[in-house]
Every structure is written in structure tokens, then in C-alpha cells.
Amino acid sequence: MTETRESEPVLESATAASPALADRYRDCSVCSAAAGVVGARTRSRGLIRIGALWWPFRSHEVTLPTHGYFREIRMVGGLRVVDSWVDGEARRSTTLLGRSLHPALVGPDLARADVAHAALSAMWVPPVLLPSDTARWTVEDRDSASVALVVAGAPVSLRLTLHRGGLPRRISTMRWGDPEGSGRFREVPFGAEILEHRMFGGLTVPSTGVLGWRLDCPGPVREVVRFQLTALEPVRCTAPLPRELVDPPGLSGESAEGEP
């Protein structure tokens, strides 16, 4: 594991975002019962695209955006993917019926790709996206803002687009990848199109949606995940650090690793 790096505020002071836009998001996404929430344990199911085929999956994830995430995905046929991003270190293990498979991403490519997932997982922890000393909102128009924050020590920027009522309908960032399979990795827009929302423990979060490349910009769109959130348990600041982030299970020393 790498040495823990202290997250620095993105701004010296609180954001100057439009109160109307930020307040719409706060009022719809976070109620008083969610005070002190800094992370979430989630379970989801859906379809994931591998090559040209869609495969049913189930997953569980633990995310604390200021620290990192752990995720396990199980697919039909015995395929299992375990990955984590903790303190700036990315690790991933892929097995088929218990047999280890050669990773598609290793080293810096893995780390640069996984930081985008760590950032997007903040959509299930709306308190960390609210304007603060460590989250800066820059209003783009009546319904959209860019949110600059620090995720597990890495500065990131998210683009958040709200419905007129205030719930998010789209969230995106730049992700390191090669969606066309050209062999040339670069930063490409990646994000989630939100179809439904549900409340869990005082948080109203995206519950059904699509993850993919270029969902809200020019260029060929490529959907990669269709998800349905089935459970969410908030993690509060007073709770111990989840064990999955201290010692991620299912990730041996032979797992693919990388640092940016």
C-alpha cells in the first residue's frame, strides 16, 4: 500500500456557486437524517457489456470518496472482478471459475481509469458533492455545474446536470480508456444517465441508469453498464474505516496494481 496522502481543499474558501442550483440539489438529495454521511455500502444488479455481448451481473461496493472504494462484481458463468482504489493505489483481480485471468489494464493505465469510477461513485454519497471548502461548484447554466473536489488524494472534476426539480439526471467526468479498441488510450468523457431515484437512509440517489462513454457529448456513444441499485447503507464519519478499504478481500499481492 502506498503512503496515505492528506486531501487538500480544492479552494481556499467555500464555493461561489449559484445558491439556487446548489440548494436544489441539497434539498432533493440530502435530508437531516443523513447528517455526517461520508460514504456508502451499495448493492446493485444489471447488465454489463463485454465485447459485443451483455452479461447479467450483481455487485457490491464500499465507497468513501475522500478515501477510495472497493467493489466486487459477479457475472453469470463464474466470472468475478474485484477492484479497489485506496490512497491513490489501484488494484484489480479477474477470475473465471476461480482461475486468474490476465488483466487488460495494468500499472498507470489501471490507476488512471479507476480514479474516474472513484469519482463517479460520489453520486451515491451526495453530501460530499455539496458546496464546501473542499468541493467547488462552477455554474454552467440553469441546470448544470462542474464540481471540483478531491477523491482519494486525486483532484477530479465532475459535471452534474439536474432535473428542473433538483435531482441529478446526468453525471460525467473524463476517464482514461480506449472505448473503440483502437489501442490508443486517452481521456474520454464517461458518465451516467440517470433514469430513476430512490431514498435510502436519508439520501435520495440514482437507482436506475446507464454508464457509458460520451453520453452527453459529440462522438459515438458506447453504453457499458445498465444498473439498478438494490440497497444502500450510509457510512457516517463517526464509524470506523470499512474493513474493505483497510485490507481489500480477494486482492492478493499478485493482483494488477498501478499508481498514477
Side-chain angles (χ1 to χ4, degrees):
M1 300 291 284
T2 58
E3 181 180 350
T4 302
R5 292 176 293 191
E6 182 179 355
S7 298
E8 294 294 335
V10 177
L11 279 189
E12 300 159 354
S13 59
T15 179
S18 163
L21 188 63
D23 288 350
R24 278 163 53 195
Y25 180 63
R26 175 188 291 106
D27 293 345
C28 288
S29 300
V30 184
C31 73
S32 58
V37 170
V38 295
R41 293 178 177 272
T42 66
R43 291 191 178 274
S44 61
R45 63 187 178 191
L47 297 172
I48 188 168
R49 187 174 186 171
I50 301 177
L53 300 177
W54 289 92
W55 297 82
F57 77 89
R58 291 182 181 272
S59 74
H60 78 269
E61 181 169 348
V62 181
T63 179
L64 269 71
T66 58
H67 190 82
Y69 77 90
F70 167 85
R71 176 179 58 170
E72 178 183 24
I73 304 173
R74 292 183 179 269
M75 285 161 266
V76 296
L79 186 62
R80 177 175 177 258
V81 179
V82 180
D83 65 340
S84 73
W85 168 277
V86 179
D87 294 334
E89 180 183 47
R91 302 172 67 191
R92 182 178 299 175
S93 173
T94 304
T95 57
L96 178 62
L97 297 175
R99 183 177 179 179
S100 182
L101 301 182
H102 181 71
L105 290 175
V106 296
D109 283 338
L110 174 63
R112 294 177 71 176
D114 280 3
V115 70
H117 178 79
L120 288 172
S121 68
M123 66 180 163
W124 289 300
V125 196
V128 306
L129 293 178
L130 296 177
S132 69
D133 288 344
T134 55
R136 174 185 180 179
W137 283 44
T138 302
V139 174
E140 297 179 357
D141 55 43
R142 181 174 59 183
D143 298 318
S144 301
S146 62
V147 184
L149 69 160
V150 174
V151 174
V156 300
S157 178
L158 296 171
R159 187 172 190 267
L160 186 63
T161 302
L162 307 181
H163 286 289
R164 198 64 55 86
L167 288 171
R169 62 184 177 91
R170 188 180 295 120
I171 182 170
S172 61
T173 189
M174 300 299 290
R175 183 176 185 181
W176 187 251
D178 177 21
E180 299 88 5
S182 65
R184 183 173 64 89
F185 281 76
R186 73 270 189 209
E187 297 282 353
V188 183
F190 186 88
E193 189 80 30
I194 311 305
L195 304 178
E196 294 180 321
H197 302 80
R198 285 182 61 188
M199 177 179 281
F200 300 88
L203 302 175
T204 301
V205 299
S207 62
T208 304
V210 177
L211 288 165
W213 302 93
R214 303 189 187 90
L215 295 180
D216 63 346
C217 64
V221 172
R222 181 177 175 82
E223 296 182 2
V224 294
V225 176
R226 298 168 183 170
F227 70 87
Q228 180 183 24
L229 193 69
T230 58
L232 184 150
E233 178 187 347
V235 176
R236 301 182 185 277
C237 58
T238 54
L241 191 67
R243 59 180 179 79
E244 293 92 341
L245 300 186
V246 176
D247 183 19
L251 287 169
S252 68
E254 298 178 354
S255 301
E257 299 189 19
E259 296 180 38

